[in-house]
Amino acid sequence: MEICWQFDYAIEIEKLRNLYAKAKKHQWDAAEDVAWDTPVDPSKPIIDESQFLFERLLVIRALSPSQREAFTAHMSCHLLSQFLHGEQGALMTAAALTHAVPDYEGKLYAATQTMDEARHVEVYERYINKLAMIYPISPWLKHLIDVTLESGNWVKIAIGMNMVVEGLALGAFHNMRRATTCELLRTITNNVLQDESRHVAFGNVYVGETLRDMHPDDREDVADFAFEAVKLISDAQGGPGGEGRRAPDPGFVQMLETVGIEPRDFVKSLLEAKAGGLRAQMPPGQIHSFRDLMLPALVRVGAVTERSRERFADAGIPVWDDATRLEALEDQDTGVADLDAIEAV
Ligand SMILES: [Fe+2]
Ligand SMILES: [Fe+2]
């Protein structure tokens, strides 16, 4: 990326100054401020079992109680490993933003996000190792973060990370926080969510302002990037509702083998269950990342254009634009998200 000095130290974007001030005030120490001595029992389900579609498969029901406990712990670790690797990606993109944003106040803010993400990597690494083991990153997630970092354009980096990847992560964090039976994981995720609410607000404030002033051709280029990033996740997850076929994930296969499940049996059981009408049920209050966070965030800043709407339509991805839950999550006035209020929305 181009070297981007800024010698004008006057602050013009007040909202960024505020976010920077809040970020400084709400720093926490991953080592000191988390009660790491809270016991974690890997034999107890970390995530309420009824939340997992997989728990209803015949191949899982046929497991012995001890195998089933191992499956639940390792399955949780596979999911949390994606959080961990995603946080490392966020650490790198936030550092890239510090380098590349043109405004002084933008650089100050991005430095705080860099520290936030470092802390998030630290907590998830520590937690996963209390539970079982770290699994490899899903190839599609790595690809999406690589493409974002390689874009060489800070607006695309902020869209790829602060709106698309963090939209996905925020939904998953929020749902994890509601579903977990582990006090330690709930505390960690609460703390992380408070930080993430600023990261989403940053994307909104700064990218929104920049896109408004952008040449229409450049805005279309950014809109294409946003579409492709969303489509990449949608394709990997079997569509925005997750009904279709998911992309292969060697880490997931490794997880099955580790707990003694033959991957072929697992896939067969999953396909049979789906043919028999088994669907993931979203409990009330659950956040849907595409509908509640990702798409509304992109629409709100103008990263979806009339032209790119057609691309979304062709790809079968609805352009949801209700930002109510997104706004509840990012509470810009206090810098503290009211997590319980989101469920009432
Ligand atoms: Fe993070
Ligand atoms: Fe973040």
Side-chain angles (χ1 to χ4, degrees):
M1 281 186 292
E2 268 176 52
I3 296 170
C4 192
W5 286 90
Q6 176 54 263
F7 294 114
D8 179 357
Y9 294 96
I11 289 180
E12 277 162 15
I13 309 174
E14 275 304 316
K15 283 185 174 171
L16 284 187
R17 185 216 294 270
N18 293 343
L19 275 178
Y20 173 58
K22 282 169 197 160
K24 282 190 295 179
K25 203 167 147 197
H26 293 290
Q27 293 290 308
W28 47 282
D29 184 333
E32 299 291 326
D33 299 335
V34 175
W36 288 106
D37 52 0
T38 306
V40 175
D41 181 355
S43 73
K44 294 242 173 65
I46 297 303
I47 302 166
D48 175 10
E49 290 193 33
S50 63
Q51 301 273 329
F52 282 136
L53 178 69
F54 298 145
E55 304 283 350
R56 284 179 269 151
L57 300 182
L58 288 177
V59 70
I60 303 303
R61 287 171 176 260
L63 297 175
S64 71
S66 68
Q67 270 182 311
R68 197 166 164 151
E69 281 170 7
F71 172 73
T72 307
H74 282 261
M75 166 103 187
S76 302
C77 276
H78 179 263
L79 176 64
L80 290 166
S81 296
Q82 306 314 310
F83 289 8
L84 168 67
H85 303 311
E87 294 291 1
Q88 187 192 156
L91 170 61
M92 292 191 283
T93 58
L97 285 174
T98 313
H99 172 91
V101 292
D103 296 284
Y104 162 61
E105 58 273 42
K107 288 181 188 297
L108 293 182
Y109 163 80
T112 67
Q113 185 173 335
T114 308
M115 183 57 220
D116 291 347
E117 306 297 9
R119 188 164 51 237
H120 301 171
V121 176
E122 186 184 342
V123 285
Y124 282 117
E125 187 274 335
R126 196 158 168 180
Y127 182 82
I128 293 170
N129 280 313
K130 265 175 105 73
L131 194 60
M133 58 185 274
I134 296 171
Y135 282 97
I137 188 168
S138 298
W140 63 267
L141 178 60
K142 180 171 183 295
H143 179 59
L144 176 56
I145 296 173
D146 284 352
V147 168
T148 299
L149 278 165
E150 283 164 2
S151 70
N153 173 328
W154 80 263
V155 178
K156 290 181 184 173
I157 294 176
I159 285 180
M161 180 51 73
N162 292 58
M163 296 184 190
V164 177
V165 178
E166 291 193 328
L168 181 73
L170 239 69
F173 288 161
H174 178 81
N175 296 338
M176 160 77 80
R177 169 187 170 271
R178 298 178 78 244
T180 187
T181 50
C182 174
E183 204 41 55
L184 181 57
L185 183 58
R186 196 195 324 272
T187 307
I188 289 171
T189 307
N190 260 334
N191 289 0
V192 168
L193 271 168
Q194 296 297 352
D195 292 342
E196 298 294 348
S197 70
R198 296 190 295 273
H199 307 170
V200 177
F202 166 78
N204 182 34
V205 168
Y206 204 18
V207 173
E209 191 140 320
T210 307
L211 282 180
R212 268 191 295 280
D213 299 337
M214 207 176 245
H215 187 280
D217 292 349
D218 295 332
R219 192 158 53 230
E220 292 296 347
D221 179 46
V222 168
D224 279 334
F225 180 83
F227 165 74
E228 277 148 24
V230 172
K231 182 162 185 303
L232 208 152
I233 299 186
S234 174
D235 287 348
Q237 301 213 327
E243 291 91 6
R245 220 165 227 266
R246 288 176 166 253
D249 187 335
F252 193 83
V253 172
Q254 183 193 336
M255 184 276 292
L256 292 174
E257 285 168 345
T258 305
V259 296
I261 298 170
E262 178 59 49
R264 217 170 297 172
D265 294 345
F266 183 86
V267 173
K268 193 164 157 263
S269 186
L270 184 62
L271 291 177
E272 279 168 5
K274 283 196 169 178
L278 183 67
R279 296 280 176 273
Q281 288 163 339
M282 288 216 335
Q286 186 111 333
I287 296 263
H288 186 298
S289 293
F290 285 82
R291 183 197 65 202
D292 297 323
L293 305 174
M294 224 185 274
L295 269 307
L298 293 171
V299 171
R300 197 171 53 161
V301 295
V304 178
T305 61
E306 285 310 313
R307 191 189 50 85
S308 79
R309 269 178 194 273
E310 287 174 26
R311 295 193 73 188
F312 280 102
D314 291 344
I317 304 171
V319 179
W320 286 284
D321 57 7
D322 180 353
T324 319
R325 281 186 153 162
L326 176 67
E327 279 162 9
L329 201 65
E330 74 187 1
D331 194 341
Q332 287 185 33
D333 297 329
T334 59
V336 178
D338 185 350
L339 300 175
D340 293 315
I342 295 160
E343 293 174 27
V345 172

